[in-house]
Amino acid sequence: MTGVPDGEGPDAGDEQHSTRAEFRAQMHQARVDLERQLETSRAQFDQAQERINARTGRNLLVAILIGLAFGGVLLLSLLVVKELFMVFAVVVAGFASSELAAALRHGGYLVPRIPSVVAAVAAVPVAYYGGAAGQLIAVLGGMALVVAWRLAEQAMPNVRAASSSSRGLARDLGAGVFVQGYVTFLATFAVVLTAAEGGQWWTLAFIIIVVATDTGAYAFGLAFGKHPMAPVISPKKTWEGFGGAVLTSGLAGVILALFMLGEPWWFGLILGAAIMLSATLGDLAESLIKRDLGIKDMSSWLPGHGGVLDRLDSILPSAAVAYAAFRLFG
């Protein structure tokens, strides 16, 4: 009588089929559980992001990513080949001057954008290779170019008709000069500083202190802010945030003075305090400009940040302070 080998009978086949079916069912259930967990985690993350965005008034994650990208480009330009800083400065100065000219036009000032941008861009290499003298010549030349362009525009019938609804020719000329004084003149201090022997370290140091100031003010203001600092100009600025800025800028200044600039610790405290004050005043000044012009941000080119000039408000006046400190102590 022919027997059936062990493991090959009908019962064994059914058992193997059942085992495979159970395994597939378990895998399917595991996949469903994983997908459900991912959906739950994504929903929780989105809810957390919405709460953060509602409290901060911007997309914080995107803002951080853009800030890191800008920081990486800046480090590359300063630490690898510092002549690359000119390229970085040209892009930043061009965008910032265009934004401010456009914002002033929105406020009723007929500021010519093309010469404003051309003057800001041209001033960067002139300041880099010409030093302080080149900076002054470039800025004055840029102001003259903007004024001459606006006067030439006034001779055109269509512009003359449009100027009847503007703030007036004299105020238009003043606004055009202001763009060069605010963006080009202050920005080129960083260019002249970087071009100096060892100046790239001072540029990097003052920018780090500005970032520390903004971060400290933002974090302390978000966590503890209750007392408005300048409610009419900038409602979100608080004295608690200012205290955080004092703490973080002083700490950053001491560390950078000792380990990057080769200066004593007390100099770091002085530099940190000076940069903190200039950064805070620069932030408030730009807020006052935007409030006067009736706009929230200078532009929307940088998601989570607003415009380029919105990121430079603390840096521009701080560049002048850092250059003065370098000339005195560097």
Side-chain angles (χ1 to χ4, degrees):
M1 188 177 219
T2 304
V4 180
D6 293 340
E8 295 183 4
D11 292 341
D14 292 342
E15 185 178 346
Q16 291 177 356
H17 179 74
S18 176
T19 302
R20 286 196 297 269
E22 290 176 358
F23 178 74
R24 284 195 294 267
Q26 291 174 356
M27 292 297 296
H28 175 71
Q29 185 61 41
R31 185 178 64 185
V32 170
D33 292 341
L34 179 61
E35 292 175 350
R36 186 181 297 113
Q37 183 63 37
L38 289 174
E39 291 177 359
T40 302
S41 299
R42 187 183 300 112
Q44 292 173 347
F45 177 79
D46 292 340
Q47 291 174 0
Q49 277 291 105
E50 290 177 1
R51 288 195 297 269
I52 293 173
N53 295 344
R55 188 169 184 182
T56 60
R58 60 176 173 168
N59 191 322
L60 188 59
L61 180 60
V62 174
I64 291 174
L65 293 176
I66 291 178
L68 291 174
F70 264 74
V73 174
L74 178 65
L75 283 174
L76 179 67
S77 66
L78 288 175
L79 302 184
V80 179
V81 181
K82 70 177 184 178
E83 282 77 8
L84 292 175
F85 184 76
M86 280 192 294
V87 179
F88 181 82
V90 160
V91 173
V92 169
F95 274 92
S97 58
S98 176
E99 286 177 347
L100 184 55
L104 288 168
R105 291 176 72 91
H106 178 272
Y109 300 91
L110 294 183
V111 177
R113 282 173 288 189
I114 293 177
S116 296
V117 174
V118 169
V121 168
V124 172
V126 175
Y128 188 89
Y129 292 110
Q135 175 195 21
L136 183 60
I137 292 172
V139 172
L140 293 177
M143 291 178 177
L145 173 63
V146 172
V147 169
W149 189 294
R150 178 64 185 89
L151 291 175
E153 284 184 338
Q154 190 67 16
M156 302 178 184
N158 59 332
V159 176
R160 190 164 57 249
S163 65
S164 62
S165 60
S166 73
R167 303 291 183 98
L169 178 60
R171 292 192 176 186
D172 292 346
L173 296 176
V177 169
F178 172 72
V179 173
Q180 297 306 306
Y182 181 57
V183 176
T184 306
F185 182 56
L186 293 179
T188 48
F189 274 111
V191 177
V192 176
L193 176 60
T194 303
E197 183 69 26
Q200 68 270 28
W201 300 108
W202 287 74
T203 299
L204 181 59
F206 96 77
I207 292 177
I208 291 175
I209 295 174
V210 169
V211 172
T213 298
D214 289 345
T215 303
Y218 180 79
F220 276 70
L222 191 63
F224 311 109
K226 293 181 180 179
H227 301 88
M229 185 177 178
V232 176
I233 300 175
S234 185
K236 293 184 178 180
K237 299 289 186 298
T238 63
W239 285 107
E240 290 80 3
F242 181 77
V246 172
L247 178 64
T248 54
S249 63
L251 181 61
V254 170
I255 293 174
L256 292 168
L258 292 174
F259 299 105
M260 182 183 291
L261 303 181
E263 301 288 343
W265 65 269
W266 54 264
F267 172 79
L269 285 178
I270 295 174
L271 182 64
I275 296 296
M276 182 273 300
L277 290 175
S278 64
T280 302
L281 291 175
D283 193 357
L284 291 174
E286 202 225 13
S287 297
L288 185 61
I289 293 171
K290 292 189 292 187
R291 179 178 175 273
D292 183 64
L293 297 176
I295 57 177
K296 182 180 182 294
D297 294 316
M298 285 295 177
S299 76
S300 56
W301 288 342
L302 298 177
H305 290 274
V308 173
L309 192 54
D310 293 309
R311 293 303 92 206
L312 293 181
D313 54 2
S314 301
I315 292 177
L316 289 175
S318 299
V321 172
Y323 178 73
F326 174 77
R327 295 292 295 177
L328 291 172
F329 299 99

